[in-house]
Amino acid sequence: MTTPDRQSVFARSASPVAAGAGGRDVAIDGDMVRNAYARWAPVYTLLAAPTALGRKAAVAKVNAIGGHFLEAGVGTGLALPDYTSNVTVTGVDLSHDMLVRANEKIEKERLRNVTGVHEMDLTNLAFADGAFGGTVCMFTITAVPDAARVMDELARVVRPGGHVVICSHFRAERFPWTVTDRILTPFATRLGWNPSMKIDGVLGCDQLELVSREDARPAGLFDLLTFRKR
């Protein structure tokens, strides 16, 4: 496996991709995400509290599978202590500020099953084809400029028969989350993620077969998707 060093150079996204919600376009690009998460990094643990149940469900899925997983969008490393000893984890994230805190967590909690975390763009991963047994991406796929391209990359770095696990909020189909989407979408550029991205963007990868789609609590807010590499 080709493993980049801790200061890997990542490719900046050349252009944003628009996603509509109720007639409103939302443009997500790399610089916007970096700036947003630089602001959120010091208080991200508090802000991420509503995602705790979804994150634990995704990690439980990874623990049940086992093997070497890439955590795409590792952030401040909130999930890292929850992986069991049968899972080895390598993390990547676009935000340097987030990764500083992830490294602190790895060292403080002596997480020996974490090989390292690297600054990297998910649309251009610096890993060889089939480098991992699986990838997991939690609450990050709606913060990228091109979800379909990221799915292609997550699939590329997984060996055939491996798994891709996705947990995130997508455009809501039921009340009250439809109201939440309408309220949050105008603030997408400040949030650094698109609250109303359609789930279609993660379902079209030819390399992946959808194995399961589940509600992650609170029901209707988060989707937990498990794919298998063909």
Side-chain angles (χ1 to χ4, degrees):
M1 181 182 76
T2 303
T3 304
D5 61 31
R6 205 55 78 81
Q7 282 75 41
S8 298
V9 177
F10 54 87
R12 290 178 180 267
S13 301
S15 60
V17 174
R24 187 184 300 274
D25 284 340
V26 178
I28 301 290
D29 66 33
D31 286 333
M32 185 184 75
V33 173
R34 289 186 195 90
N35 293 336
Y37 284 92
R39 292 193 300 271
W40 304 138
V43 292
Y44 187 73
T45 299
L46 178 63
L47 292 174
T51 68
L53 293 175
R55 188 171 62 251
K56 287 184 180 299
V59 171
K61 184 77 68 174
V62 171
N63 289 340
I65 297 169
H68 190 183
F69 265 75
L70 174 70
E71 185 178 332
V74 68
T76 60
L78 285 176
L80 294 179
D82 296 329
Y83 293 107
T84 48
S85 59
N86 65 315
V87 177
T88 302
V89 183
T90 300
V92 296
D93 203 279
L94 188 65
S95 170
H96 174 79
D97 299 86
M98 293 284 195
L99 291 176
V100 168
R101 287 162 175 78
N103 270 316
E104 291 171 352
K105 182 180 292 293
I106 293 167
E107 293 172 5
K108 180 180 179 180
E109 302 194 26
R110 298 181 180 180
L111 302 176
R112 303 188 187 283
N113 61 331
V114 180
T115 67
V117 293
H118 311 282
E119 192 171 337
M120 202 176 297
D121 185 340
L122 299 188
T123 64
N124 189 19
L125 295 171
F127 298 106
D129 295 358
F132 298 94
T135 57
V136 57
C137 183
M138 296 172 279
F139 310 106
T140 303
I141 199 70
T142 56
V144 298
D146 189 340
R149 181 174 172 184
V150 170
M151 291 299 294
D152 286 344
E153 278 292 275
L154 297 183
R156 180 185 65 78
V157 300
V158 172
R159 69 177 67 100
H163 293 81
V164 174
V165 178
I166 304 289
C167 189
S168 196
H169 169 75
F170 300 98
R171 182 183 298 189
E173 298 175 352
R174 50 184 142 164
F175 182 84
W177 311 123
T178 50
V179 176
T180 304
D181 284 2
R182 284 199 297 270
I183 293 171
L184 292 178
T185 297
F187 302 99
T189 54
R190 295 286 294 172
L191 294 170
W193 57 280
N194 180 4
S196 56
M197 189 188 97
K198 291 183 178 180
I199 198 169
D200 306 39
V202 305
L203 296 177
C205 180
D206 292 338
Q207 302 177 71
L208 298 175
E209 173 191 2
L210 181 64
V211 176
S212 65
R213 177 179 176 180
E214 309 163 50
D215 276 344
R217 294 183 295 168
L221 182 57
F222 304 129
D223 280 281
L224 177 60
L225 308 170
T226 304
F227 301 85
R228 182 179 290 112
K229 174 78 171 285
R230 299 183 194 277

